[in-house]
Amino acid sequence: MAEVDATAAPAVEKKEINENELTVETVTKYQTAAEVANKAMNIVVAAAVAGAKVHDLCKLGDKAILDGSKLVYAKKKDLLKGIAFPTCVSPNNVICHLAPIAQDAATVPDLKDGDAIRIELGVHIDGYAAMVAHTHVVGSSKAAPVTGRKADLIAAAHACTETALRLMKPGKTNYDVTDAVQKIADDFGVKPVQGMMSYQLQRNNIAGNSTKRIILNPSDVQKKDCKKAEFEEGDVFSLDIVLSSGEGYPRTNETHRTTVYRKTPLQYALKTAAARATYSNIKTNFGEFPFAISNFDDEVKAKLGLIECEKNGLVEPYRVCYEQEGEDSVHVIVTVLLMANGPLKITGTSFDPEVIKSDKEVKNEEIKELLRLPVRQTNKKKKKAAAATSE
């Protein structure tokens, strides 16, 4: 027999690192990204007054993200951080993804009192992203509250978000949320926008490779593609609620140029110098996260370079989506961490019933009962449960 060295340290089995596991470190990074995102959102909302330009608001939001990101983890020079989704401001019947470049700024009318605008943006710290979207009615306040269909939409979205938070726990499924949103929409006389998706967030990926997705108002084909899945502790979701006063069918057209893109995993030998320079910039500055043409120093060169990149599948576009002319929509995103004691909402703005005055309310008894429950289990309840178990 071979002699054994009793003083030698025992062999340690290497544990595979799960980048998507919720540890103290990753939760801190998510929460830090959320703080920057919430502050950026508040800055854009405050500037969204009558006479403001959509282009300027988008630039302001992106600047707030970059400035805020610089202040956190400042000593870790190699840690990537910044825009996880470029600021988009979509007014009137535009549902999402509008971020006009300087060349097109004048094609979007200046904001006026009463306009409903949907603001969306995202921040990441070391690849851990916090997403947020908010619908704001220009000029609204306690002295000038929102009423009518706009108020119905915003109040309904708030009820949908609060209900979904109470359903996002082990034992419940994505389709429990889908069904609850539909019931609330029916009570408020609005429509979930068909096919809008909430994704499970993963490191460096806001569109999730996971099959866990929450879909709104799915068609039969979309139901087959979006499989039923249970929520699990440790999941992170970008909960996306989109409702409309119209038919609820998103449309694309050529009214506004597509300016938001995301790099795909595909590879291709680009032919033109402009495309190669643009693609190199994308990999260096944005990685796997979406970006807007206005995020480049030279928008004209970026726009030209993206033509070949998109043609060969190296980037995919986020098309500007619309409802019918004259209809309104509401877009709300909150980022949710599924913790041991319940869902933790880390992004989102507060709902003020003194500003949003709808004469509609949740009527469904099942939903009303659900809304009476707390979102998270308190420490006191956890201690009682532990004591009962030990007896």
Side-chain angles (χ1 to χ4, degrees):
M1 272 180 80
E3 186 174 322
V4 178
D5 181 1
T7 64
V12 178
E13 184 180 349
K14 288 187 177 180
K15 182 181 178 181
E16 187 177 340
I17 297 174
N18 179 5
E19 292 185 333
N20 298 309
E21 184 181 355
L22 281 183
T23 63
V24 172
E25 181 183 5
T26 59
V27 169
T28 300
K29 287 176 180 176
Y30 274 121
Q31 291 179 316
T32 304
E35 288 176 12
V36 177
N38 288 331
K39 287 179 181 177
M41 176 61 73
N42 290 336
I43 288 171
V44 177
V45 170
V49 298
K53 297 183 182 299
V54 168
H55 170 73
D56 293 344
L57 293 175
C58 293
K59 296 290 285 185
L60 179 67
D62 287 347
K63 183 178 185 303
I65 292 172
L66 295 174
D67 289 347
S69 299
K70 287 177 184 177
L71 300 177
V72 298
Y73 291 92
K75 293 182 180 179
K76 296 190 175 182
K77 303 299 181 184
D78 296 333
L79 187 145
L80 297 178
K81 53 192 176 178
I83 296 172
F85 198 90
T87 306
C88 296
V89 178
S90 304
N92 302 317
N93 71 315
V94 185
I95 297 173
C96 56
H97 303 158
L98 182 60
I101 60 177
Q103 180 184 346
D104 299 336
T107 66
V108 184
D110 294 351
L111 299 184
K112 62 182 185 300
D113 284 338
D115 283 350
I117 61 171
R118 286 144 293 281
I119 307 164
E120 53 190 316
L121 57 87
V123 178
H124 81 92
I125 302 296
D126 194 26
Y128 298 96
M131 310 295 292
V132 63
H134 172 66
T135 299
H136 172 66
V137 178
V138 179
S140 61
S141 66
K142 290 181 181 179
V146 182
T147 59
R149 299 294 281 162
K150 291 183 177 70
D152 295 344
L153 283 164
I154 297 171
H158 173 68
C160 288
T161 301
E162 289 298 313
T163 301
L165 288 172
R166 288 160 172 79
L167 290 169
M168 296 176 73
K169 58 181 63 175
K172 298 294 185 179
T173 73
N174 51 347
Y175 274 96
D176 289 329
V177 175
T178 301
D179 295 342
V181 168
Q182 185 64 60
K183 291 173 183 175
I184 295 168
D186 290 342
D187 284 348
F188 280 81
V190 298
K191 293 276 190 181
V193 174
Q194 188 174 78
M196 287 295 176
M197 203 84 72
S198 298
Y199 289 99
Q200 183 182 5
L201 299 178
Q202 298 175 321
R203 192 182 184 202
N204 294 314
N205 192 346
I206 67 165
N209 292 320
S210 170
T211 56
K212 287 187 185 178
R213 296 169 290 165
I214 304 168
I215 190 169
L216 301 185
N217 189 17
S219 66
D220 290 339
V221 173
Q222 290 166 340
K223 283 180 181 178
K224 291 179 181 178
D225 181 59
C226 186
K227 304 296 184 184
K228 186 176 182 178
E230 272 198 24
F231 296 112
E232 297 176 283
E233 183 183 324
D235 289 347
V236 181
F237 271 88
S238 172
L239 176 62
D240 203 326
I241 303 296
V242 193
L243 307 174
S244 169
S245 64
E247 296 176 351
Y249 299 119
R251 300 158 170 81
T252 59
N253 58 45
E254 301 302 319
T255 303
H256 297 107
R257 187 196 309 267
T258 296
T259 63
V260 179
Y261 296 84
R262 183 181 67 157
K263 185 173 76 67
T264 72
L266 297 180
Q267 295 184 344
Y268 177 80
L270 294 163
K271 304 296 189 292
T272 66
R276 290 195 295 271
T278 298
Y279 191 65
S280 176
N281 195 325
I282 292 168
K283 290 195 295 183
T284 301
N285 295 309
F286 309 111
E288 310 305 317
F289 290 105
F291 57 88
I293 294 176
S294 56
N295 296 144
F296 291 79
D297 293 333
D298 191 326
E299 292 183 358
V300 175
K301 286 185 179 178
K303 185 177 64 172
L304 291 173
L306 280 167
I307 294 173
E308 187 183 354
C309 292
E310 182 180 2
K311 180 181 177 182
N312 292 286
L314 297 186
V315 298
E316 61 181 5
Y318 283 77
R319 304 289 185 199
V320 182
C321 292
Y322 305 81
E323 242 298 356
Q324 292 171 295
E325 193 71 38
E327 299 292 351
D328 276 308
S329 61
V330 60
H331 189 187
V332 172
I333 295 176
V334 296
T335 300
V336 186
L337 312 184
L338 273 58
M339 309 291 284
N341 60 339
L344 176 63
K345 178 172 77 75
I346 59 173
T347 63
T349 59
S350 60
F351 175 81
D352 190 343
E354 292 188 42
V355 177
I356 309 300
K357 292 193 172 183
S358 171
D359 59 6
K360 304 281 177 55
E361 61 181 5
V362 174
K363 297 177 182 177
N364 184 283
E365 290 299 328
E366 182 184 355
I367 301 296
K368 287 167 71 174
E369 185 64 30
L370 195 60
L371 287 171
R372 294 187 189 102
L373 300 175
V375 174
R376 309 192 73 205
Q377 188 179 29
T378 63
N379 289 332
K380 190 174 182 181
K381 287 183 178 179
K382 285 178 71 178
K383 287 178 181 177
K384 283 184 178 180
T389 304
S390 61
E391 290 177 356

